[in-house]
Amino acid sequence: MVFETLTSPASQDWASLLDRMFARCEGAYSDITLRGYRVDLESFADWCVRNGQEFLPASPAGVAAYVDNLLERYAYSTIRRRIAAIQFAHRLSDLSSPVGSSDVYLAMRRAGRTKRRRPKQVKGLTADLLEKILEGCPETLSGLRDAALISVGYDTLCRSAELSWMEVEHVDLEEGTVYIPRAKNDPFGDGRIAGLSERTVGLVRKWIRKAGIKGGPLFRGLHAAKLGKGFLETSSIRRLIKAAAKRVGLGDAAKELSGHSMRVGGAQDLMTAGYDTLAIMTAGGWKDVEVVARYVEKASLVRLGVHRPAIQKSSRSRT
């Protein structure tokens, strides 16, 4: 199916075009992915309107100019994401993408040399922080939920979205395992199994019993101390982690924690404990070794520092 092209974006017809485009994508992509693409494409379309550029199909020169404009305000990772959205729109419209052109290639090279390409790393919620946070969670409904969620996140190295999608039926408390049916890098639902520590099993059991949950979403929102029916939003996961950290006096650390912190901290602790990169990738469902390497970079340096004196001593003994 070929969509009509928009050579006069000032008409604002791009909004209805995006409606039809994303309606086709339902079921093929996650809602989170589609929302992200939509936001990025709306930004590009708005820029096209204000600058008299074609939106779809976009010209190589126009996209290159857009990249140069983004350089003034956005990080390199954001620019890459916006360009990926433009490529997505052309592919879904059966149009030739301008992203592969030399104009856009050179614009992205300029962006990479101008902007810091290294993504900002969130603070890892490592075992020492985990202990403090769990000890500070009260025996209330919200406290039990928060403790169970944070502990599950640390054990399973789950992303916040994976924690949000988790259901009671996915957890086997007798076996101490949880089934993670889908992930950001697992769009077709191959899934993976992750283990839970004895303490985490106990925390999950207490939460389920206190909340009276029989099935459906495992972690839910609370409204006026009453349990919600739907899945807990990822934004809520980020807030509850920060709140739990502040509760035990981790003010500065709390500012740096996010819904991704359990995944980062768990990976760092595995590295420090001596597990290799392949084992960590398997534990967290990673498919890109570079991402894992960046997560555990600091932990690997710490481990290297611990072993370096022994290495140096051994080298001197041979000379």
Side-chain angles (χ1 to χ4, degrees):
M1 177 179 180
V2 179
F3 279 94
E4 68 271 32
T5 60
L6 288 182
T7 56
S8 54
S11 66
Q12 296 292 328
D13 286 343
W14 56 262
S16 59
L17 176 64
L18 291 180
D19 286 340
R20 293 190 295 276
M21 180 187 298
F22 285 105
R24 294 179 64 210
C25 296
E26 291 183 8
Y29 292 86
S30 71
D31 291 340
I32 294 175
T33 297
L34 292 179
R35 284 200 298 270
Y37 277 144
R38 175 117 199 182
V39 169
D40 287 338
L41 287 172
E42 287 176 348
S43 172
F44 177 56
D46 181 66
W47 181 86
C48 289
V49 169
R50 290 184 284 104
N51 291 274
Q53 294 287 336
E54 296 179 359
F55 170 48
L56 204 62
S59 68
V63 176
Y66 178 61
V67 171
D68 289 339
N69 177 261
L70 292 177
L71 269 175
E72 301 174 6
R73 293 168 292 165
Y74 296 102
Y76 181 76
S77 58
T78 301
I79 297 173
R80 283 188 61 185
R81 196 191 66 224
R82 295 275 177 90
I83 296 305
I86 293 171
Q87 186 170 23
F88 167 85
H90 283 76
R91 182 174 186 178
L92 265 292
S93 303
D94 295 317
L95 295 169
S96 177
S97 173
V99 172
S101 69
S102 60
D103 283 347
V104 178
Y105 170 77
L106 292 172
M108 291 301 294
R109 289 278 300 183
R110 286 193 293 272
R113 290 173 62 85
T114 303
K115 290 285 187 177
R116 184 181 66 176
R117 292 177 54 170
R118 182 182 178 88
K120 185 178 179 180
Q121 180 69 66
V122 301
K123 185 175 182 62
L125 200 159
T126 48
D128 55 336
L129 294 178
L130 178 69
E131 292 293 334
K132 294 177 182 178
I133 289 174
L134 294 184
E135 287 177 5
C137 288
E139 292 289 314
T140 60
L141 189 59
S142 62
L144 292 176
R145 178 204 60 190
D146 296 353
L149 183 147
I150 293 170
S151 195
V152 168
Y154 176 83
D155 283 0
T156 62
L157 283 73
C158 274
R159 301 173 179 86
S160 56
E162 294 161 20
L163 291 169
S164 174
W165 296 328
M166 210 168 277
E167 299 184 18
V168 174
E169 293 80 1
H170 297 155
V171 182
D172 188 332
L173 295 178
E174 297 303 320
E175 293 290 333
T177 60
V178 58
Y179 171 60
I180 302 159
R182 54 179 170 151
K184 177 182 178 181
N185 61 350
D186 180 20
F188 301 112
D190 292 330
R192 66 182 176 94
I193 300 291
L196 301 175
S197 67
E198 186 175 342
R199 177 175 64 179
T200 301
V201 168
L203 290 171
V204 172
R205 185 173 278 124
K206 285 177 67 175
W207 155 245
I208 290 176
R209 187 183 303 120
K210 182 75 172 180
I213 300 173
K214 303 299 182 182
L218 177 60
F219 300 116
R220 309 182 185 194
L222 297 170
H223 308 283
K226 292 184 179 179
L227 190 69
K229 295 182 179 180
F231 293 94
L232 187 64
E233 294 288 338
T234 54
S235 57
S236 297
I237 293 175
R238 181 177 64 252
R239 286 194 295 268
L240 71 84
I241 291 169
K242 290 180 177 292
K246 289 180 181 178
R247 189 184 298 124
V248 294
L250 300 175
D252 291 338
K255 296 176 183 178
E256 301 178 51
L257 294 174
S258 77
H260 227 54
S261 290
M262 290 90 74
R263 181 171 173 82
V264 175
Q268 291 172 342
D269 283 345
L270 287 174
M271 170 60 71
T272 304
Y275 290 89
D276 61 27
T277 303
L278 180 59
I280 298 172
M281 289 180 67
T282 301
W286 277 286
K287 296 181 180 179
D288 187 341
V289 69
E290 292 184 3
V291 174
V292 180
R294 190 171 68 246
Y295 279 11
V296 302
E297 183 177 38
K298 290 182 180 180
S300 62
L301 289 174
V302 170
R303 185 167 175 240
L304 178 62
V306 169
H307 292 288
R308 182 170 288 162
I311 294 172
Q312 291 172 342
K313 182 178 180 181
S314 176
S315 298
R316 287 196 298 270
S317 66
R318 291 195 298 268
T319 58

